[in-house]
Amino acid sequence: MKDAFDEKTERKTWMSLLSKAPAGRVATLLDAAMARPDFKWLRAPEIGSVMVQGRAGGTGAPFNIGEMTVTRCALTLPGGEVGHAYIQGRRKADAEAAALVDALMQGGAAGAVRTAVLEPLQAEQMIAKTARAQKAAATKVEFFTMARGED
C-alpha cells in the first residue's frame, strides 16, 4: 500500500512541474532528449476554463475567485501508458508535450525523461523561486516599538 501512495505523490510532483513550466520549455527539453513516440489521442487538446477557488486566510470557507483558461488533453502510447495534461492558458503544443512526458514517465523511458526533462525543470523553478524570495526579502521592513518609560 505504501508503494502506491509514493507513486501517486511522485506523479503529483512531475505533473506540477509540467503544469508550471514556461511556454515551450517542456517541448524543447523533450525534443532535445529523444524523438517523440507515436501516440493516439484519447482527448485531443482543447481549451476551456475552470473555476478557481480560494479560502479566506488559507483555512476559511471556500469561495470562487474567478475563472482561469486551461488547455487539457489525454493520449495513449502503443505500450498502453496513458498521459494527461492540464496547462494554464491557451497552449495546445505545451499540453501535448506535457501529456507525452506523463505517459513516458509511466514506462521504461522514465529514467531518461526524468534526467532530461523533469530535473532541469525542477532546477529552473527552484532558481526562479529563490530569486523571487530574494526580491521580496529586499523590501522587508522591520518594525519595532520603543518603550516610552510610562507604565
Side-chain angles (χ1 to χ4, degrees), residues 32-44:
M34 65 182 63
R36 291 189 183 197
D38 292 329
F39 62 88
K40 180 182 173 189
W41 287 116
L42 297 175
R43 179 186 308 263

Side-chain angles (χ1 to χ4, degrees), residues 46-107:
E46 57 188 15
I47 298 168
S49 61
V50 295
M51 182 60 69
V52 179
Q53 290 189 332
R55 292 183 180 269
T59 59
F63 63 93
N64 293 336
I65 295 174
E67 292 183 349
M68 179 178 76
T69 304
V70 295
T71 305
R72 70 177 181 176
C73 68
L75 54 80
T76 184
L77 298 178
E81 299 88 355
V82 176
H84 300 276
Y86 278 80
I87 304 293
Q88 181 179 351
R90 305 172 67 86
R91 304 180 334 204
K92 290 183 178 184
D94 289 339
E96 177 184 329
L100 270 171
V101 170
D102 181 40
L104 290 167
M105 283 298 295
Q106 298 172 49

Side-chain angles (χ1 to χ4, degrees), residues 10 18 20 29 59 72 82 106 112 128-129:
E10 185 179 5
L18 295 171
K20 294 174 186 173
L29 291 170
T59 59
R72 70 177 181 176
V82 176
Q106 298 172 49
K129 183 178 181 180

Side-chain angles (χ1 to χ4, degrees), residues 124-140:
E124 291 166 7
Q125 287 182 12
M126 287 303 296
I127 290 169
K129 183 178 181 180
T130 303
R132 196 168 45 248
Q134 288 174 344
K135 189 175 180 181
T139 65
K140 184 177 179 182

